Amino acid sequence: MAQPDDMFGDDDFPAYTMGRAAEITGATQDFLRRLDEAKLIAPVRSAGGHRRYSRYQLRLAVRAREMVEQGTALEAACRIIILEDQLEEATRQNENYQRQQESGAS
């Protein structure tokens, strides 16, 4: 199990209850449930079955809320965010691969 100091720096640690997550993101609890249904975020369930959100998930929820407020359909906003994150990860992996190739060629 992670030590408390490790959890403070972990963006993926499910530290926030639904109520607190809604408060932080400026979204309703229903909106957070809809993000779960749209498969943008999948909160961890506590032993009692309560949703718990990470900071990373809260950032995604804020992005989705902002897009929906600007008129983007929820499903489209979720898809865009998923694709943006996939592109960011692929770019990061490509940069790492390029660095490895360059250091191996030296």
Side-chain angles (χ1 to χ4, degrees):
M1 178 160 175
Q3 296 300 313
D5 289 343
D6 296 336
M7 292 181 265
F8 289 124
D10 185 354
D11 273 358
D12 295 318
F13 181 73
Y16 303 96
T17 63
M18 178 177 276
R20 184 70 177 126
E23 181 182 322
I24 290 169
T25 62
T28 64
Q29 292 184 17
D30 182 60
F31 184 79
L32 294 174
R33 282 187 208 93
R34 290 174 47 213
L35 294 179
D36 188 6
E37 292 167 6
K39 301 196 183 337
L40 177 63
I41 55 178
V44 172
R45 296 289 183 143
S46 69
H50 300 282
R51 291 174 174 89
R52 304 285 295 189
Y53 297 88
S54 68
R55 286 191 307 231
Y56 173 73
Q57 291 171 325
L58 298 185
R59 284 195 299 273
L60 295 180
V62 168
R63 285 169 62 192
R65 182 187 51 78
E66 290 170 349
M67 292 178 78
V68 168
E69 286 176 354
Q70 293 173 0
T72 305
L74 178 69
E75 295 76 17
C78 291
R79 185 68 180 137
I80 290 167
I81 293 167
I82 290 167
L83 290 170
E84 286 174 344
D85 280 359
Q86 287 174 343
L87 176 60
E88 184 179 319
E89 179 61 23
T91 300
R92 187 174 22 256
Q93 288 178 2
N94 188 40
E95 289 170 353
N96 289 339
Y97 176 76
Q98 293 293 333
R99 278 194 292 275
Q100 289 173 354
Q101 293 302 311
E102 290 170 3
S103 60
S106 301

